Amino acid sequence: MTLYDELVARGLIAQVTNEDEIKNMINEGKATFYIGFDCTADSLTAGHFMALTLMKRLQMAGNKPIALIGGGTTMIGDPSGRTDMRKMLSREDIDHNAACFKRQMERFIDFSDGKALMVNNADWLLELNYVDLLREVGACFSVNNMLRAECYKQRMEKGLSFLEFNYMIMQSYDFYYLFQHYGCNMQFGGNDQWSNMLGGTELIRRKLEKDAHAMTITLLTDSQGNKMGKTAGNAVWLDPNKTSPYDFYQYWRNVGDQDVLKCIRMLTFLPLEQIDEMAQWEGAQLNTAKEILAYELTKLVHGQEEADKAQATARALFTQGSSVADMPATQFSEADFTDGKIGLLSLMVRCGLCKSNREARQLIKQGSVQVNEEKVTDDTASFEQAQFEGDGLVLKKGKKVYHRATLA
């Protein structure tokens, strides 16, 4: 099976242009491709996972990845898949986030000896003269065609700022710039990026005419990655300081029965033959598949040692209940208490079990919260500081999520 055929079999290909050329270039290791990452936070999320593993697969076959850090496009904000305008970030915040992204990407991509590149579009986008850009690039875009793009149509009723309207031009210019300066001949992205990506292909064709035809190839990954990375209203981060290896493991361990095989195909490096055998599994065997998924992805992000620890802790919690001392924990100081007490709502939010008091209150009313193995249905409940001493309090959310609260 060729690499391209494997990508198709894993469900990673949704749409392509110039498919025959794409197949040949990928299979022969001749693709220099880029994927863009806007720096809207100081950590990548599980939603970026598909892009990172895809880059790794292609690099292992001899293709050259370019990780494009969106230091410039983040200042504009991508309207794709959104119903409102992104929060505006300062240049300092964006630069900090970009540095965090770089450190995390190096766990997946080999940047040594020119095997991959990491570039920041702030280096060229922020230096552009607006009038020159309008003359050089703007003339290649039809406003009528842009307004027909799905990424803009869904925003027209609620309002699309002129700032965001320029995002397609900026992203298209990225491909044009990378093509000219780095020999980039292919781009990857999610379904919601299709219009922007076609804009880049068309810009190169318009600017360079026939010399660019064989090299302006666009390949699109499935949008499943855009649905990943959020649970109970909270993002699932790749940074262990924001989402612990155990919580990361538990997120994947708790995926739905209908999604587990799809995630294993798309995100792990297990042989397709092994995955095809799992497709026959049902009932309790699906829980085994979820453990495999969680372990493989935790190992990719946090290393084998952390994956082993997360799996051992999860299994021990299921068999021994709340007696395991090394479950995920949050330490509290005296400053966290008011008159020597803390409310259950604040406790759950502080432990990262909920994003807000409202979400915590809803879980409590549903009977989904236990403290020291006793169900709590009173959302006004509070706990004394002394109860946090020693082993502290053990909180349980639903059937599978445990967390220990202790006193520093």
Side-chain angles (χ1 to χ4, degrees):
M1 180 182 292
T2 67
L3 174 59
Y4 185 84
D5 289 338
E6 180 180 349
L7 297 180
V8 172
R10 288 184 180 273
L12 292 169
I13 308 299
Q15 303 178 70
V16 299
T17 66
N18 310 76
E19 185 172 33
D20 289 339
E21 293 168 280
I22 284 176
K23 287 181 180 179
N24 292 334
M25 294 177 72
I26 286 178
N27 293 336
E28 296 172 9
K30 295 180 179 179
T32 298
F33 66 95
Y34 95 90
I35 298 180
F37 301 82
D38 277 351
C39 315
T40 55
D42 59 0
S43 172
L44 295 165
T45 73
H48 295 107
F49 213 97
M50 184 180 296
L52 294 172
T53 55
L54 183 61
M55 293 173 81
K56 184 178 179 71
R57 290 184 207 280
L58 289 163
Q59 187 181 48
M60 290 169 63
N63 298 287
K64 184 175 182 178
I66 299 177
L68 177 62
I69 303 296
T73 42
T74 304
M75 300 192 75
I76 297 173
D78 183 5
S80 302
R82 295 187 60 86
T83 59
D84 56 359
M85 186 171 169
R86 289 190 188 277
K87 176 184 176 182
M88 298 292 287
L89 299 177
S90 69
R91 178 71 185 273
E92 291 74 20
D93 288 337
I94 293 172
D95 289 344
H96 170 73
N97 294 347
C100 295
F101 278 23
K102 288 181 181 179
R103 290 193 295 271
Q104 293 174 353
M105 287 180 182
E106 287 170 351
R107 292 192 63 92
F108 293 85
I109 312 301
D110 181 4
F111 291 97
S112 66
D113 304 322
K115 296 174 185 173
L117 297 175
M118 187 176 293
V119 296
N120 190 327
N121 63 16
D123 294 340
W124 57 86
L125 292 182
L126 300 187
E127 301 299 321
L128 288 172
N129 177 283
Y130 186 60
V131 173
D132 289 343
L133 177 69
L134 289 178
R135 290 174 61 87
E136 181 180 3
V137 179
C140 298
F141 285 81
S142 162
V143 172
N144 291 344
N145 289 338
M146 291 174 71
L147 290 176
R148 283 194 289 268
E150 195 63 35
C151 61
Y152 290 145
K153 282 166 56 177
Q154 62 189 5
R155 286 291 305 279
M156 292 303 290
E157 291 186 9
K158 289 198 172 184
L160 175 71
S161 71
F162 183 71
L163 178 70
E164 295 170 292
F165 188 64
N166 283 270
Y167 192 91
M168 181 185 291
I169 295 177
M170 295 294 97
Q171 182 171 333
S172 299
Y173 188 83
D174 281 343
F175 193 20
Y176 175 55
Y177 186 93
L178 292 173
F179 176 88
Q180 287 189 302
H181 293 83
Y182 297 99
C184 180
N185 51 37
M186 194 178 298
Q187 58 181 331
F188 290 71
N191 278 341
D192 57 352
Q193 295 292 307
W194 185 242
S195 297
N196 295 343
M197 296 167 71
L198 290 179
T201 300
E202 178 65 13
L203 176 60
I204 294 175
R205 190 192 68 79
R206 292 279 299 273
K207 296 296 293 183
L208 302 179
E209 298 297 337
K210 63 181 181 179
D211 294 335
H213 172 71
M215 306 295 286
T216 57
I217 300 170
T218 306
L219 188 147
L220 189 71
T221 63
D222 186 271
S223 62
Q224 179 72 14
N226 299 326
K227 302 173 185 176
M228 297 174 183
K230 290 189 176 180
T231 179
N234 297 311
V236 178
W237 307 99
L238 304 192
D239 183 344
N241 296 313
K242 297 170 75 71
T243 297
S244 71
Y246 171 80
D247 288 335
F248 186 83
Y249 176 96
Q250 283 294 88
Y251 171 73
W252 296 107
R253 173 61 181 80
N254 293 331
V255 299
D257 290 353
Q258 71 278 9
D259 294 326
V260 59
L261 265 297
K262 185 174 185 178
C263 289
I264 289 176
R265 286 185 187 278
M266 288 182 167
L267 304 177
T268 76
F269 289 82
L270 296 176
L272 282 171
E273 296 80 8
Q274 180 181 347
I275 301 172
D276 288 340
E277 292 179 5
M278 294 183 196
Q280 310 304 318
W281 292 2
E282 55 185 25
Q285 288 179 305
L286 290 177
N287 289 328
T288 301
K290 294 176 186 180
E291 280 196 342
I292 292 172
L293 171 67
Y295 181 83
E296 291 295 324
L297 299 192
T298 305
K299 183 171 66 173
L300 273 173
V301 175
H302 299 296
Q304 183 169 342
E305 181 179 353
E306 292 294 341
D308 288 340
K309 287 168 57 178
Q311 186 172 72
T313 299
R315 287 176 174 175
L317 287 171
F318 282 118
T319 59
Q320 300 176 26
S322 61
S323 62
V324 179
D326 60 347
M327 71 175 63
T330 299
Q331 287 192 328
F332 289 75
S333 67
E334 290 188 8
D336 293 310
F337 298 88
T338 301
D339 296 328
K341 296 181 180 180
I342 186 171
L344 179 56
L345 299 180
S346 299
L347 178 61
M348 293 181 65
V349 172
R350 177 77 166 75
C351 288
L353 297 176
C354 296
K355 189 176 182 179
S356 65
N357 287 351
R358 179 181 178 182
E359 181 186 333
R361 185 178 292 110
Q362 184 177 4
L363 287 170
I364 294 168
K365 294 298 186 185
Q366 291 172 347
S368 301
V369 176
Q370 292 184 21
V371 178
N372 289 348
E373 299 185 351
E374 292 187 8
K375 184 180 293 187
V376 181
T377 57
D378 181 4
D379 60 11
T380 66
S382 62
F383 301 90
E384 301 282 346
Q385 180 175 327
Q387 294 177 267
F388 290 72
E389 297 175 355
D391 289 337
L393 295 175
V394 174
L395 287 75
K396 183 180 179 184
K397 183 179 76 171
K399 296 181 179 180
K400 301 175 181 179
V401 180
Y402 291 84
H403 200 94
R404 191 159 57 96
T406 63
L407 193 62

